[in-house]
Structure formats: structure tokens, C-alpha cells
Amino acid sequence: MKDIKPFINPLFALIGIQLLWVVVLVFWIAWFMKSHSRLRAVAETYSPELLQGGADWFILVEGILLLCAILAGVYVIFLYWRRQAELYRAQRNFIAQVTHELKSPLASLQLHLETIRRRRLSPEKLATFLDTMLSDTNRLDTLINNLLSAQRLDQKGLKLNLRRDNLSARVTDYFRPRQFSLPKAGTMSLNIEPNLYADLDPEALETIFRNLLENAVLYASGSPVVDVALKRDGRKAHLTFTDQGKGVPRNEQKKVFRMFYRVKHPGETIRGSGLGLFIVQALARMHRGKVWLTSEGVGKGASIHLLLPLCKPPTEEEF
């Protein structure tokens, strides 16, 4: 049974059904042509008027249309079957990946805590340990928040509290403190057009920013190099988040927004849950916005584009 299991998948099933459909179609046409003379004899005997309207050929066309409708239904079922199979594989890989993502910082925390308990450390060494432990707890917190957000978004249980806010200030306030604290001496440039207002949920917007920054760090080639730009684009605000990392192949640039989907680079294992860009897209849509990715290819970095509708700045009376 295990030997034949790899051959039982939606694609092979569709090919088999199509071959069967062709056989049935050929059989139907052959049977009709063989029985055509007899059908005409019966029609001439009982209903000669049917021959004038071409009822015999109508039967052939009607049968072919019915077979085509059946094939179309099978194809629709195949699409849903393939999607479910892909989702099942992604969920299985996701569970394995998340298990690793949880165990790694927990093991690090346990090791550092046991070291602190058993040894007398210098203040400098203790400060280094504490920084590492805080980094591990932040990593755990980010993963747990993403899991909760994805679960609520998938079940349509997340409601945003949108209100008019200064988008330019929100982008600046989030990224400026992190501008010079990227790992591996990374760099970040900010080019923010001031006083762009939009209807925002501050917590959801911060979740978008956090996932974009985490992706840039995870997929960096060496030290992260990030450019954040915000400008007016007609009636919308256009936020561009560009990195100089590993890039994304053209055939995968739309897939990266699927739940659990992760770009794979040969010979590399990159941590992550595959939820970040799914959450980004879902939250962008809830802001009545749009998000997409552009990349020139592998090794050429990538840009995430976020469009949000602008609104008028508040008047002095509203402050």
C-alpha cells in the first residue's frame, strides 16, 4: 500500500478521469453513429416530423454537452482537492517548523538560566546573558502573537478599531528606534513624507510593521539593509519596504501571502512560521488597502508595497 500511495494524488486522478472521459466520449459518438440509421427508422415510423428539425443530431450534441458539464465539474473538484492537499502539506510542515521555533529559544533560555544559577558571572557577562534572554523572549512573544493573529484572522474573529491617525508619525515612531538596532550591524534608511493621515488601527499597523521588519532580518544576506519610504500616491499613501536580501523568484511572488507558505532557498534553513505576510495582507485589506511584493529574482532583494487610502488631516477644532 505504501508503494502505491505516492501515485495517488489529485493530478494523476485528474489525468485518469480525463482519459476515461475521452473513452466515454468516443464510445458515445461511435454508438450514436452506429445507431443513427436505426434511430432514423424509429423516427420515421413514429414521429416523421422530428426528422425535419434534426432531432437526431440534437441528441448527439446534447450528450456531448452533458459529458462536457461532467468534465467541468470534475475539474472544479480537482482544483479544490489540490488546494486542500497543498494546505494539508503546509500545515504539517508548519507544525514541525513551529515546534522547532518554540524549542530553540526555550532551550536557550534554560541554558542561560542554569548558567546564571550555577556560576558567579561578571556584570558584563550577566548583561550579555540578559540581552540574549530578552531577545529569546521577544522571539517567543512574536511567534505567539502571530499564531493568535492568524487564528483570529482565519476565523474572521478579528475586528479593527479604525480611526483617523497620522500615518507618517506612526511609521517614524516605530522604525526610528529600531533604525540603529538591527542585528549584525544592519542599516535602515527612512524617507517619510510628513503629515499623511489615514484611518488606522495602531495595534494592527504595528503588527504589519513588525512582520515586515522580521522578514527583512530573516531573509537578509549578511547584515540587513532596509529602506523604508512613505509618500503620497494620488489619494493613497504608498509605503515601500525594501531589503537587499535573498529575493523571491517571480513564480513565487504571489504565493508568499498564503498561510504557512515559505520561500525555500537550496541548502539553507531559515526559521519562521510562514504566517508573517499572510497576516500583513489580511490586515492591509481590513484597512481597505492593498499589499504586493516585487523582486528582480533570487539574490536581488525584495520590496513590499502597501497602499492605504488617505483621509483629510484633522482641523484645529478636532485636536
Side-chain angles (χ1 to χ4, degrees), residues 76-239:
V76 170
I77 294 173
F78 162 74
L79 291 179
Y80 279 100
W81 186 5
R82 185 178 65 176
R83 178 61 180 151
Q84 286 300 112
E86 290 176 353
L87 184 60
Y88 172 73
R89 287 194 297 269
Q91 287 176 329
R92 186 172 55 186
N93 294 335
F94 167 76
I95 292 172
Q97 184 67 28
V98 167
T99 301
H100 173 75
E101 285 291 301
L102 288 171
K103 290 182 68 175
S104 180
L106 283 175
S108 174
L109 285 169
Q110 183 179 11
L111 175 63
H112 285 85
L113 287 172
E114 288 179 351
T115 303
I116 291 173
R117 186 178 66 177
R118 294 179 180 181
R119 299 181 181 180
R120 289 183 175 274
L121 301 177
S122 65
E124 295 79 8
K125 193 70 172 179
L126 181 60
T128 302
F129 274 34
L130 291 175
D131 288 341
T132 303
M133 292 164 65
L134 285 173
S135 176
D136 289 331
T137 57
N138 288 335
R139 181 176 167 185
L140 285 172
D141 183 63
T142 298
L143 177 60
I144 292 170
N145 285 335
N146 278 349
L147 290 171
L148 293 174
S149 297
Q151 187 266 341
R152 293 170 66 189
L153 288 167
D154 191 45
Q155 297 184 1
K156 312 296 182 184
L158 182 64
K159 304 295 181 183
L160 299 187
N161 181 24
L162 300 178
R163 64 175 187 271
R164 182 166 44 180
D165 203 346
N166 190 328
L167 176 61
S168 302
R170 290 287 178 182
V171 174
T172 303
D173 291 345
Y174 184 86
F175 288 109
R176 181 161 290 168
R178 296 162 176 80
Q179 191 172 6
F180 303 104
S181 60
L182 293 176
K184 301 179 181 178
T187 60
M188 179 191 300
S189 64
L190 300 180
N191 183 14
I192 310 300
E193 182 176 337
N195 298 322
L196 296 182
Y197 283 80
D199 291 326
L200 308 172
D201 182 303
E203 184 177 346
L205 193 68
E206 184 172 320
T207 299
I208 292 175
F209 295 159
R210 184 181 67 246
N211 280 290
L212 292 179
L213 185 57
E214 184 183 65
N215 259 30
V217 172
L218 286 177
Y219 289 92
S221 298
S223 299
V225 179
V226 180
D227 298 311
V228 181
L230 177 67
K231 63 180 181 179
R232 182 187 298 271
D233 187 357
R235 296 183 179 181
K236 297 182 182 296
H238 187 176
L239 175 67

Side-chain angles (χ1 to χ4, degrees), residues 64-80:
I64 294 175
L65 290 177
L66 178 61
L67 289 173
C68 289
I70 293 174
L71 182 63
V74 169
Y75 184 69
V76 170
I77 294 173
F78 162 74
L79 291 179
Y80 279 100

Side-chain angles (χ1 to χ4, degrees), residues 282-303:
L283 293 178
R285 288 175 175 174
M286 295 177 73
H287 280 86
R288 299 187 295 275
K290 178 182 179 183
V291 64
W292 71 96
L293 180 145
T294 58
S295 175
E296 294 299 320
V298 177
K300 298 182 179 180
S303 296

Side-chain angles (χ1 to χ4, degrees), residues 8-25:
I8 303 176
N9 62 52
L11 180 59
F12 289 141
L14 180 65
I15 293 173
I17 291 173
Q18 286 179 324
L19 292 175
L20 179 62
W21 182 85
V22 171
V23 171
V24 172
L25 180 62

